[in-house]
Amino acid sequence: MLQIYNTLSKDKVPFEPIDAGKIRMYVCGITVYDFCHIGHARVMVSFDVITRYLRARGWDLTYVRNITDVDDKIIKRAAENGETPETLTSRMIEAMHEDEIRLSVLRPDMEPRATAHIDDILALVQTLIEKGFAYAASNGDVYYRVEKFEGYGKLTRQNIDELRSGSRVNVEEAKESPLDFVLWKAAKPGEVSWESPWGPGRPGWHIECSAMSKCCLGDTFDIHGGGPDLPFPHHENEIAQSEAANGVQYVNTWMHAGPVRVNSEKMSKSLGNFFTIRDVLEKYDAEVVRYFLASVHYRSYIDYSEDSLKEARSALERFYQALGSVECADAEPDNDFEARFFAAMDDDFNTPKALAVLFELVSELNRAVREGSLEAGKLAAQLKRLGGIIGLLQQSPDVFLKGEDRAGELSAEQIEALILQRKDARSNRDFALSDKIRDDLAAQGVILKDDRSGTSWYREG
């Protein structure tokens, strides 16, 4: 049985969907004011693996991931660039989709944008006002009354008294309490805005997800996911808004991906260790990056470093070298690798444990190839299929191992010419030249492999 760690209950429990055989999942997406960074990639890949696995196990999954396309950061960046917020967000959304395609991240079933749900947001705010959980302030903003909601803080174990004592409110603020948060923001001159019963304005960040998830998945749904920075206050505020308005539990299972660190330090622009997905993909094969992100359990922090990416490359090389040694067969092998792989993934999507099973499968495949066993083709197909559930091993081995020609490196044509020159040298028993060609290629990251069928090669690292 599938077990998932629930951030709300703080334990790993058997997963039971609201509707048998069906899962409704909402994941907080990107605020599209800049290119996506490696932390965004962590969340994208984590929930993509979860999506692929749930579907591989036969669940009917509806996956929703929103886009925040109106926000203070968006307005500020658009003004700095001298462009409209709409132009900026359209450009960043397109770039986000390009990054996802390269990382083999599947598009969600629904990708609602905040600006397309203004009517839903207004209706939700109005409901909260009518129920006494929100109020229109003198400055044109609408705020949520945090202290009226009895369950506030239950996701992150926050104590309302401690929150109150640690908060302060400026004299000019129109809040009733320093804990209250904004649902609707009065527009400043020149800002993008929509008409509302409380004057022109735009939605606060937290209300967007409550409105979009309700619209797409209903008042209560199975799984809500997001990044490590979202449990407080964003998800606490979503719970408060949705449960106060709808009168039912908002989400049954809460899931959060862990943070990305860079050489064991927190990633930040001020430290100069901030990397966009595009920065990373300029240096590393996209599948190497995906493997790296999937190689650590989704809830744990992951340390981005040159060594970590090299280890990911080496691991994939081992998989692809095994796959390149034999043709895949259609028949299923008689072994327990699949059952053990599924058992690992059923344990809160434990990808490190699942990958360990695949490494054992590689060893078995290599043994079958050495022995000339008919099982080799079956094992290769099994490895490719199980790897595909994590979004890996779907390239041709030749394409991955040889890679694309890159500036400053030997081209495939040059390498093949040197291999032919080495073959001639060996035929002439000029082993010194043969060895020199091999060593020279190795020094440039090109590894040769001799077998009965001839010489093959791949790029290392």
Side-chain angles (χ1 to χ4, degrees), residues 21-26 47-48 50-55 58-64 109 222-223:
K22 298 183 178 181
I23 299 175
R24 287 172 287 160
M25 181 171 75
Y26 182 95
F47 284 97
D48 183 67
I50 289 165
T51 294
R52 288 171 180 268
Y53 182 69
L54 292 174
R55 288 176 174 156
W59 296 93
D60 179 6
L61 172 69
T62 300
Y63 175 26
V64 180
D109 298 299
D222 299 290
I223 298 173

Side-chain angles (χ1 to χ4, degrees), residues 143-172:
Y143 292 100
Y144 184 92
R145 287 189 175 101
V146 168
E147 292 171 73
K148 185 175 174 61
F149 183 71
E150 292 184 6
Y152 193 82
K154 61 184 176 181
L155 179 67
T156 55
R157 304 295 194 268
Q158 301 283 340
N159 182 290
I160 195 77
D161 293 327
E162 291 177 1
L163 287 172
R164 189 187 300 112
S165 65
S167 299
R168 51 183 298 188
V169 60
N170 294 328
V171 175
E172 70 269 21

Side-chain angles (χ1 to χ4, degrees), residues 64-197:
V64 180
R65 191 191 63 211
N66 77 293
I67 293 174
T68 295
D69 60 347
V70 58
D71 175 85
D72 288 341
K73 293 177 181 177
I74 291 170
I75 293 171
K76 182 174 183 289
R77 181 61 58 83
E80 291 170 351
N81 293 351
E83 60 184 332
T84 66
E86 294 81 5
T87 302
L88 172 65
T89 56
S90 294
R91 188 159 49 84
M92 291 299 105
I93 290 168
E94 183 178 353
M96 177 186 72
H97 289 155
E98 290 169 355
D99 290 341
E100 288 177 325
I101 289 169
R102 293 185 67 186
L103 289 171
S104 297
V105 171
L106 303 173
R107 289 282 286 275
D109 298 299
M110 288 183 267
E111 200 172 48
R113 302 183 186 186
T115 57
H117 287 266
I118 298 298
D119 288 345
D120 298 314
I121 292 167
L122 291 172
L124 188 56
V125 173
Q126 185 62 46
T127 297
L128 289 169
I129 289 175
E130 291 170 359
K131 290 190 171 187
F133 284 95
Y135 58 94
S138 58
N139 62 356
D141 292 346
V142 179
Y143 292 100
Y144 184 92
R145 287 189 175 101
V146 168
E147 292 171 73
K148 185 175 174 61
F149 183 71
E150 292 184 6
Y152 193 82
K154 61 184 176 181
L155 179 67
T156 55
R157 304 295 194 268
Q158 301 283 340
N159 182 290
I160 195 77
D161 293 327
E162 291 177 1
L163 287 172
R164 189 187 300 112
S165 65
S167 299
R168 51 183 298 188
V169 60
N170 294 328
V171 175
E172 70 269 21
E173 289 190 12
K175 294 180 182 181
E176 293 177 352
S177 163
L179 296 183
D180 295 349
F181 59 88
V182 70
L183 301 174
W184 184 260
K185 304 181 74 167
K188 296 175 183 176
E191 284 187 347
V192 60
S193 65
W194 291 263
E195 289 301 319
S196 82

Side-chain angles (χ1 to χ4, degrees), residues 343-363:
M345 293 296 287
D346 277 344
D347 182 16
D348 194 29
F349 310 102
N350 194 328
T351 49
K353 199 170 180 180
L355 289 170
V357 173
L358 296 190
F359 273 112
E360 292 183 46
L361 176 52
V362 166
S363 296

Side-chain angles (χ1 to χ4, degrees), residues 14 75-76 85 124 128 192 209 250 300 316 323 364 370 412 434 459 461:
I75 293 171
K76 182 174 183 289
L124 188 56
L128 289 169
V192 60
C209 285
Y250 179 39
S300 301
L316 281 173
L323 287 172
E364 184 68 13
R370 287 194 303 271
S434 170
R459 299 185 195 270

